[in-house]
Amino acid sequence: MPFVKSKIVSLTLIILGLVFLFSFYHRSQGGSYFPLIPATKPSVPPSENSDYVWAHVPQSYPVRELSRLPQSIPKSIPIIQHSFPHESREERKVRIARLDTVKGNFTHAWQGYKTHAWGSDEVAPLSGRAQNPFGGWAATLVDALDSLWIMGLKDEFEDALQQVEKLDFTSCSLEELNVFETTIRYLGGLLAAYDVSGQKYPVLLRKAVEVGQMLYVAFDTPNRMPITRWRFHDALKGVPQEAGDGVLVAEIGSLTLEFTRLSQLTNDDRYFDAIQRIMNEFDSQQDQTKLPGMWPVVVNARTLNFHEYSGFTIGGMADSLYEYLPKQHILLGGGSQQYRKLYRDAMVPMKEHIFFRPMTKGADVLFPGDVSSDGQTPLSELHTEAKAQHLSCFAGGMVALGAKVFDLPEDLDVARKLVNGCLWGYETGRLGIMPEIIRTVACEDTHNCVWDEDRWHHEVNQAFPDDNGSVEDKIKTRRLAPGITKIDDGRYILRPEAIESVFVLYRITGDRSLAEKAWVMFETIVKHTITDIAHAGLNDCTVDDPPKQDRMESFWMAETLKYFYLIFADPHIVSLDEYVLNTEAHPLRRTV
Ligand code: DMJ
């Protein structure tokens, strides 16, 4: 008997070994990190509307095997938030007063939207016109739902739900729908509102499923890559479709959180499967690009070439691709190591080539710049442009989060310098606001960079070769602060990225000086952007009386005001140990 027993044990070990070797081989050949299941029995999503047309559009290229959501590993994600000490009565008084002021501004904008544009995508904050640039499904309302709940505006929240109930995703104000924007604003907005309100309002999940079912049709292409600029009405008619040949990586690479959360809440793996196919392409080509570890701004989703193009950035058009890597790891509860690997490998070239130190009069800070390659592989020449975009100010928050989640303590210092870079951008701004794009002088030696007035002057002269006059005149007429050589784009369109990173770093470190800086930013922004109706973007924040735009993007109430609010709220509200925020600041509940 003992002999038979030992035979059985050895046989079992051999089989287990073979299974292990096979799965290792499969992965090393670019196979899935996730168990595949036949796609014959999709679970039924909780849509009460069985006639919902998007649910019945036949798939021309049905999925044969689905990637299944991985099992999360409880406690595998380290604690993220700082343990905040008890505050004094005086500190609390100041904090609550600030919190109320932020809430007051939110209510002001909400009332403006309610009065002038209820049910439309946006209110124009000067003329009061209603505008529909996001399909006409009440983008501002859906984007602001979770902020309403977080700020304790429950009556307004419930009022808004009646409007949500009426949303009709089978008609659209646009010919071409942006799948990414629809995902982050509508799908993210509905899912987060469902999560933060304790999952007690089923209409939110039902409508999220409707959006999910609609967007799923955009993935019905020969290679299952989604169409990012999607001809909505053609798709509804079942016109054959193919993915684009020049697709922005942020638009195709940052759908993961929302689709994953939808799968988690519905037990329908199709959504997770849809985004996992995309990320597997990013994964398999990560080392083949002209800046290995990072991906070019544009990829060909039709031919699945994700490595050819020569421009690299973590600013606009690429940003949230990188932002979502650590966040997806958290949302999956550490159930996959794929996103750790993608993030870790992207951070290497980012630290080496993208992050640069601008020459300043004393501040030791970092900005993410843009990199172009001369196109040669494998040894391409790389050039970093010392350009800082407001959009790339999310990087401080991303690196801080990555430092905590992946246990990279030395990265916290990089995160601080990135956050301080954007704070420097605000502090040196004419009005105290960082413009959309500025150019600076890059330090030659990151560790030893002394102020060199002549070098600054030289680069200002180079930036304006056709301007006559002295360099002092150029600096004066262009209103350039020391270290800035050119303002490529002087707008401030109510963007959140700088305060977003201040928020994340504050919640991680508990550094009170960040809350003080946030308050200065808030007062400055509001002073210049408030209108009778709501708040307006600025056409040029480098002049003393900035002309206002007649536009308030929905991210003002979804993101910017939410981050300001959360900095002054009790740190347990939307704790980073309970939620992952999507790129539109929508908190998605973590499963472990
Ligand atoms: C938002 O819609 C999102 O944060 C997106 O990732 C980038 N742009 C805006 C805010 O600036």
Side-chain angles (χ1 to χ4, degrees):
M1 282 312 272
F3 176 72
V4 175
K5 225 180 189 173
S6 78
K7 272 245 156 143
I8 293 173
V9 171
S10 343
L11 206 67
T12 315
L13 284 174
I14 290 169
I15 292 170
L16 283 174
L18 285 173
V19 169
F20 175 78
L21 279 176
F22 172 74
S23 74
F24 182 76
Y25 171 78
H26 183 54
R27 280 216 352 219
S28 67
Q29 298 301 304
S32 174
Y33 280 73
F34 305 94
L36 293 171
I37 50 164
T40 44
K41 278 193 243 156
S43 44
V44 183
S47 173
E48 281 167 23
N49 179 3
S50 57
D51 297 333
Y52 183 56
V53 60
W54 287 114
H56 302 292
V57 175
Q59 292 267 317
S60 306
Y61 307 99
V63 173
R64 307 244 168 262
E65 279 187 314
L66 285 175
S67 291
R68 198 199 280 272
L69 269 173
Q71 279 287 322
S72 57
I73 303 170
K75 306 237 172 349
S76 68
I77 311 285
I79 296 289
I80 295 173
Q81 284 211 165
H82 177 76
S83 161
F84 284 80
H86 197 72
E87 62 189 342
S88 69
R89 192 182 281 211
E90 189 46 37
E91 284 168 341
R92 184 179 154 79
K93 211 171 119 194
V94 173
R95 179 174 68 73
I96 298 293
R98 291 174 175 178
L99 193 66
D100 286 346
T101 309
V102 178
K103 184 171 167 180
N105 274 274
F106 179 90
T107 314
H108 170 68
W110 179 250
Q111 287 306 332
Y113 170 72
K114 236 179 139 173
T115 311
H116 297 273
W118 188 240
S120 300
D121 284 345
E122 291 175 3
V123 60
L126 299 177
S127 64
R129 272 198 322 267
Q131 302 180 143
N132 284 304
F134 290 104
W137 302 311
T140 293
L141 182 148
V142 175
D143 234 5
L145 283 171
D146 54 11
S147 300
L148 286 168
W149 184 271
I150 290 164
M151 294 185 192
L153 297 162
K154 191 170 174 227
D155 291 348
E156 297 290 348
F157 177 84
E158 290 186 343
D159 232 25
L161 290 192
Q162 295 182 22
Q163 200 60 36
V164 170
E165 184 77 63
K166 292 187 212 150
L167 294 176
D168 176 6
F169 297 107
T170 65
S171 77
C172 179
S173 66
L174 307 167
E175 265 314 304
E176 194 180 80
L177 192 66
N178 185 317
V179 165
F180 163 76
E181 296 291 358
T182 308
T183 301
I184 64 167
R185 298 187 200 220
Y186 290 110
L187 184 54
L190 291 163
L191 290 169
Y194 181 68
D195 272 345
V196 294
S197 60
Q199 307 188 348
K200 290 197 193 94
Y201 297 89
V203 60
L204 291 164
L205 183 56
R206 194 158 22 89
K207 286 292 172 183
V209 171
E210 287 186 16
V211 179
Q213 287 174 329
M214 168 181 80
L215 293 176
Y216 192 67
V217 177
F219 289 73
D220 187 28
T221 63
N223 61 13
R224 299 296 308 175
M225 292 296 115
I227 298 162
T228 53
R229 304 296 174 100
W230 190 42
R231 298 193 64 79
F232 179 95
H233 297 100
D234 286 353
L236 204 49
K237 285 185 223 140
V239 173
Q241 28 179 45
E242 258 192 312
D245 56 4
V247 167
L248 301 177
V249 283
E251 293 192 359
I252 196 167
S254 22
L255 308 169
T256 49
L257 292 178
E258 299 80 1
F259 278 65
T260 299
R261 188 69 189 128
L262 188 59
S263 278
Q264 289 175 340
L265 287 168
T266 58
N267 289 321
D268 183 344
D269 283 325
R270 285 180 306 159
Y271 304 109
F272 174 70
D273 171 86
I275 55 88
Q276 191 51 48
R277 287 167 191 277
I278 305 171
M279 299 318 292
N280 288 344
E281 289 306 328
F282 278 107
D283 190 351
S284 66
Q285 299 184 49
Q286 186 168 23
D287 295 335
Q288 296 165 26
T289 71
K290 288 167 182 148
L291 181 56
M294 288 183 63
W295 301 272
V297 179
V298 176
V299 294
N300 187 331
R302 190 171 303 164
T303 61
L304 295 181
N305 184 328
F306 279 37
H307 61 263
E308 198 66 36
Y309 184 71
S310 305
F312 298 83
T313 183
I314 62 163
M317 303 182 286
D319 40 10
S320 41
L321 162 66
Y322 299 97
E323 175 194 345
Y324 271 25
L325 300 176
K327 290 186 172 179
Q328 176 74 348
H329 179 85
I330 300 172
L331 190 65
L332 291 174
S336 151
Q337 293 310 307
Q338 185 178 25
Y339 293 90
R340 180 198 296 273
K341 177 248 169 201
L342 292 170
Y343 177 76
R344 192 196 55 209
D345 290 1
M347 280 305 287
V348 176
M350 218 181 277
K351 284 192 205 161
E352 200 175 331
H353 298 285
I354 294 277
F355 299 158
F356 71 92
R357 178 174 171 182
M359 187 180 76
T360 69
K361 282 188 163 173
D364 179 2
V365 300
L366 290 173
F367 274 125
D370 292 351
V371 169
S372 53
S373 123
D374 63 359
Q376 304 304 308
T377 42
L379 289 173
S380 69
E381 279 258 327
L382 299 169
H383 170 70
T384 304
E385 253 185 303
K387 206 163 96 174
Q389 305 179 28
H390 196 290
L391 273 165
S392 62
C393 286
F394 82 95
M398 172 187 72
V399 176
L401 195 66
K404 277 309 243 194
V405 175
F406 298 128
D407 195 19
L408 305 165
E410 68 285 4
D411 278 12
L412 213 47
D413 191 42
V414 177
R416 268 179 210 281
K417 287 185 178 173
L418 287 163
V419 170
N420 287 338
C422 290
L423 288 172
W424 178 83
Y426 270 72
E427 281 152 16
T428 55
R430 176 88 172 181
L431 305 177
I433 300 176
M434 177 171 159
E436 187 79 353
I437 306 174
I438 56 179
R439 278 174 196 269
T440 65
V441 183
C443 294
E444 269 150 20
D445 179 352
T446 314
H447 304 291
N448 180 22
C449 186
V450 284
W451 175 252
D452 178 345
E453 188 101 354
D454 291 342
R455 199 170 153 222
W456 175 44
H457 284 181
H458 174 71
E459 296 212 12
V460 170
N461 273 328
Q462 281 201 322
F464 301 102
D466 302 331
D467 270 22
N468 294 322
S470 68
V471 71
E472 285 77 12
D473 285 344
K474 290 178 191 171
I475 288 167
K476 199 163 163 227
T477 51
R478 311 267 168 182
R479 297 170 299 279
L480 302 174
I484 295 176
T485 58
K486 193 174 180 193
I487 294 162
D488 277 2
D489 186 342
R491 290 174 304 151
Y492 172 66
I493 63 164
L494 304 170
R495 284 200 193 280
E497 293 77 16
I499 194 60
E500 167 183 344
S501 286
V502 170
F503 161 74
V504 175
L505 193 63
Y506 177 57
R507 284 289 182 92
I508 285 176
T509 61
D511 177 353
R512 280 188 180 279
S513 72
L514 290 167
E516 292 308 314
K517 296 204 162 126
W519 182 243
V520 175
M521 287 164 76
F522 176 77
E523 287 200 299
T524 312
I525 292 173
V526 162
K527 179 167 112 198
H528 292 292
T529 59
I530 196 157
T531 71
D532 289 345
I533 292 172
H535 300 82
L538 305 176
N539 269 329
D540 188 353
C541 69
T542 71
V543 295
D544 287 335
D545 286 312
K548 290 191 176 78
Q549 303 177 325
D550 198 12
R551 181 140 196 225
M552 179 177 78
E553 283 251 21
S554 66
F555 51 67
W556 171 243
M557 280 195 281
E559 292 195 71
T560 316
L561 286 177
K562 186 190 286 150
Y563 284 125
F564 277 121
Y565 184 86
L566 288 175
I567 285 177
F568 301 111
D570 182 315
H572 296 105
I573 297 181
V574 189
S575 161
L576 297 179
D577 291 304
E578 287 171 12
Y579 290 93
V580 181
L581 279 76
N582 88 339
T583 192
E584 192 77 0
H586 293 309
L588 304 171
R589 183 101 197 164
R590 292 169 50 179
T591 48
V592 282

